[in-house]
Amino acid sequence: MKRINLFLLASLLAWVACSPEKPYQFQVSDLEPLIDSLSSDYFEGRMPFSEGEKKTIDFLVHEFESYGLEPGNGDSYIQDVPLVSVFTEAAPSMEIKSSKESLTLEGLKDYVFWTQRTDSAIAFQDAELVFAGFGIVAPEYGWDDYKNIDVKGKIVVVLVNDPGFGTEDASFFKGNTMTYYGRWTYKYEEAIRQGALGCLIVHNTIPAGYGFNVIQNSWNASKLYLDDRGKEGYKLAIEGWVTLPTANKLFEMAGLNERELLAKARKADFEAIPLGLTASSSMTVKATYNASKNVVAKITGTERPEEYVIYSAHWDHFGIGKPDETGDSIYNGALDNASGTAALLALAKAFHESKAPKRTVVFLAVTAEEQGLLGSAFYAQNPIYPVDKTVANINIDGVNPYGKMRDVSVIGKGQSEMEDLLEVELEKQGRYAAPDPNPVAGYYFRSDHFNFAKVGVPALYFQNGVDHEEKGKEYGMEMEDNYTMEYYHKPSDEYDPGRWNLEGAVDDVQLLYNVGQNISNSIQWPNWKEGSEFKAIRDGYMKK
């Protein structure tokens, strides 16, 4: 605690000493015109590889130029992001065999799978199935679900989430708060490291945080990935999910009890279990290559220009798609994330109109977040500014449209010292930081700040709170639930001045500005807190 207090004290003293006499004060007018424009039908839902993307990129570059910001990538505002669209069409069934019997599983109903490989056809014949618990290798927890087994050429079957879920023990994989080890993307990454042929995750609605119907959207569909031609790494032949009832049928065929397996999988001495089953199926693949764009601008620091604070927001949404019941087919993405992009632009303008920061401040509008955080992943893998000189990331994925709130919801609360700086600024506003109201959903791993965290950069991401200043928490939660049901990823997510109240958004953007000013004028480096799964990464390169 002493080190954190010293960090805060030094940072705040630097901020007081170097801040302008009258800090920039945000108004609704800083945000509303930008949100209204970016979410209009003119931008056609801002889908990568569309005319809507071209219009969006032109708009963002024009805004940065008009504010007087410098190009962020040499003499360009653009960072190309090479992508590949992989369309898979799976066989309608998968055959499971044991030494005594066989079982035919039905695609879409019992399982969903796809591949990142770009071969024109993928087939697996009599591939061995291995139950690998939660599919986790976590040295800091003394955990290795792959010890004493070679899964090369085999398909691993793993459980969703991590062993802490349902234990109520916050010291055991953070209890009900999902760690990255519980995220489905990690399961595939670890299976790749182990050289497995494939990985099937057992779906369970509560620990997954969503129903199997969400998984079914990936059946015979296109997925975007980073184009890694020329530096290809190993990829699984199949990535996918099976329903819990289907998994139980497999365990029963193997002569195993699902409850007993789950109990064993929650213990550190668990060892993977060959199921004595084989699987056979296939799919055809069509790969299409193209490039999307990140937009990046900067304000060069006056004293430490080689140290960087990066604000980020994703500009993309879903473009033109299936019409809703009103016939509207444009997925405008007003809240998600025209509002966050508007906030990024407003922050850039405010920084430019304020006293120049001592550290360089970068404004990064990334592509393809909705396709799997791809724009920020590309940036993290191909950074314009060195990762070991990047002090912090502040990410914006939506603003508060419901009016003034007493709180903000800190996603991944307890991860980094960035939160301590946020709490200082919240206190000035007479507000407070609340934890993520749905920690099991793993939202910390579902927005662009996560790709900065993966390379060790402390990242701050908060969402609007639920404690409404006038109407209380019940109203705030009702508004959140209503957005999820009526507007999230639907054509109805449009800017409506009669429904939106941006006064609370102004407060939150002021927080983002004040925290960024603090860090950009400090000599201190915020760090990860003890227990964060990203601390060792940062500590490693800070020692070099």
Side-chain angles (χ1 to χ4, degrees), residues 84-88 116-120 285-290:
V84 57
S85 174
V86 180
F87 175 77
T88 55
Q116 290 192 45
R117 295 185 183 182
T118 55
D119 311 58
S120 60
V285 180
K286 182 179 180 181
T288 304
Y289 295 89
N290 210 327

Side-chain angles (χ1 to χ4, degrees), residues 209-480:
Y210 39 79
F212 194 70
N213 62 302
V214 175
I215 308 298
Q216 289 173 317
N217 292 332
S218 295
W219 178 252
N220 290 352
S222 293
K223 286 180 174 288
L224 280 178
Y225 303 100
L226 294 180
D227 176 3
D228 64 352
R229 286 177 296 179
K231 51 182 179 181
E232 295 95 336
Y234 180 75
K235 298 179 179 70
L236 300 175
I238 65 162
E239 299 177 358
W241 296 70
V242 296
T243 67
L244 182 58
T246 298
N248 286 337
K249 289 179 182 178
L250 299 182
F251 297 146
E252 184 177 346
M253 281 183 70
L256 301 169
N257 179 277
E258 182 263 339
R259 288 181 178 274
E260 292 177 359
L261 279 181
L262 180 59
K264 289 180 179 179
R266 289 188 183 279
K267 296 180 179 179
D269 62 357
F270 169 82
E271 294 192 5
I273 303 171
L275 294 177
L277 306 176
T278 62
S280 303
S281 193
S282 63
M283 70 185 102
T284 59
V285 180
K286 182 179 180 181
T288 304
Y289 295 89
N290 210 327
S292 188
K293 300 181 187 301
N294 291 336
V295 183
V296 56
K298 69 175 180 178
I299 298 173
T300 299
T302 57
E303 294 186 15
R304 288 178 294 283
E306 75 289 349
E307 296 178 1
Y308 308 93
V309 177
I310 300 180
Y311 282 94
S312 60
H314 74 91
W315 59 256
D316 65 300
H317 202 58
F318 291 104
I320 300 174
K322 181 181 178 181
D324 64 10
E325 60 277 6
T326 71
D328 188 358
S329 62
I330 298 179
Y331 288 68
N332 303 82
L335 188 60
D336 181 19
N337 188 32
S339 68
T341 307
L344 184 78
L345 293 171
L347 286 160
K349 183 172 183 287
F351 266 88
H352 187 262
E353 294 182 4
S354 303
K355 185 176 180 178
K358 293 184 177 181
R359 285 168 164 155
T360 296
V361 181
V362 179
F363 301 89
L364 178 64
V366 296
T367 184
E369 188 268 358
E370 301 290 4
Q371 307 295 323
L373 317 182
L374 298 180
S376 58
F378 183 81
Y379 179 89
Q381 294 172 23
N382 304 272
I384 297 171
Y385 308 103
V387 168
D388 62 354
K389 294 294 184 180
T390 301
V391 179
N393 168 244
I394 300 172
N395 187 54
I396 315 156
D397 199 347
V399 303
N400 171 16
Y402 309 125
K404 287 183 173 290
M405 297 284 180
R406 296 186 181 92
D407 64 336
V408 297
S409 297
V410 179
I411 306 304
K413 188 172 173 61
Q415 284 279 10
S416 85
E417 293 171 346
M418 298 279 287
E419 301 160 24
D420 302 307
L421 294 176
L422 174 65
E423 289 186 5
V424 170
E425 297 302 330
L426 280 165
E427 188 174 349
K428 292 177 184 177
Q429 293 186 353
R431 303 170 68 198
Y432 66 95
D436 181 354
N438 188 20
V440 67
Y443 287 122
Y444 194 80
F445 317 114
R446 293 167 63 175
S447 193
D448 292 300
H449 64 284
F450 175 55
N451 281 315
F452 286 93
K454 284 178 74 173
V455 294
V457 177
L460 177 67
Y461 170 43
F462 66 80
Q463 295 178 336
N464 51 275
V466 296
D467 192 355
H468 194 272
E469 193 171 272
E470 296 178 3
K471 301 179 182 180
K473 293 181 180 179
E474 186 174 343
Y475 173 81
M477 294 177 70
E478 181 182 322
M479 290 297 96
E480 284 288 284

Side-chain angles (χ1 to χ4, degrees), residues 30 51 77 123 160 164 188 193 195 199 230 250 273 284 312 426 440 455 462 496 510 516 518:
D30 290 310
E51 183 65 22
Y77 291 94
V160 71
Y188 300 138
R193 284 189 284 270
C199 178
L250 299 182
I273 303 171
T284 59
S312 60
L426 280 165
V440 67
V455 294
F462 66 80
D496 179 355
Q510 192 73 51
N518 185 328

